[in-house]
Amino acid sequence: AIDKDNYEEVTDVVVGSVMNPAPGGTVTETSFTIGSTTYVVNGVEKTADVAPYISGDRTFFAVRFVANALGVPDANISWNPVDQSVLIIKGERVLKLVIGSTTMMVNGVPVIMDVAPQIVEPGRTMLPVRWVAEALGASVAWDAATQTATLTIK
């Protein structure tokens, strides 16, 4: 169980909600380019305060921007300074990642990643995009020529 008392923001979990719309439903596509603070959500440019980067052959991007792009509201993203963990809640999925740990908890089940979340200036929690996106139900495509990751959720 996750002790929510140590998190700065806590929200209720809605049980029984549908994570992905039925076929023909809304598709969200988000693109992040390495080294650029500009990213695109459904054709609309947005700006992050930290650019994505590559570390250990994995693309990292700030947790809030990735989660928001995948439909997670700010109220469902929590930071616990005590154990340096982030909690992300989307529908029935609850993710917990800890800075420096390659174990991501998904609904209480450990998933071993090949890289760990990191903190970069100005104090941003950076998550391995593919691991988090896929755990939240998105597919990830990488374009090596443009250094762009595209997340698609249906």
Side-chain angles (χ1 to χ4, degrees), residues 17-84:
S17 65
V18 177
M19 174 160 233
N20 298 324
T26 304
V27 174
T28 300
E29 185 173 280
T30 304
S31 297
F32 303 96
T33 302
I34 299 302
S36 174
T37 56
T38 301
Y39 64 106
V40 180
V41 179
N42 288 339
V44 177
E45 282 193 1
K46 298 186 178 245
T47 304
D49 60 354
V50 177
Y53 60 88
I54 295 175
S55 177
D57 293 327
R58 291 288 176 242
T59 300
F60 283 76
F61 201 59
V63 60
R64 190 161 308 279
F65 300 107
V66 171
N68 288 165
L70 294 174
V72 178
D74 284 346
N76 288 17
I77 306 165
S78 303
W79 169 251
N80 181 337
V82 175
D83 68 357
Q84 290 199 312

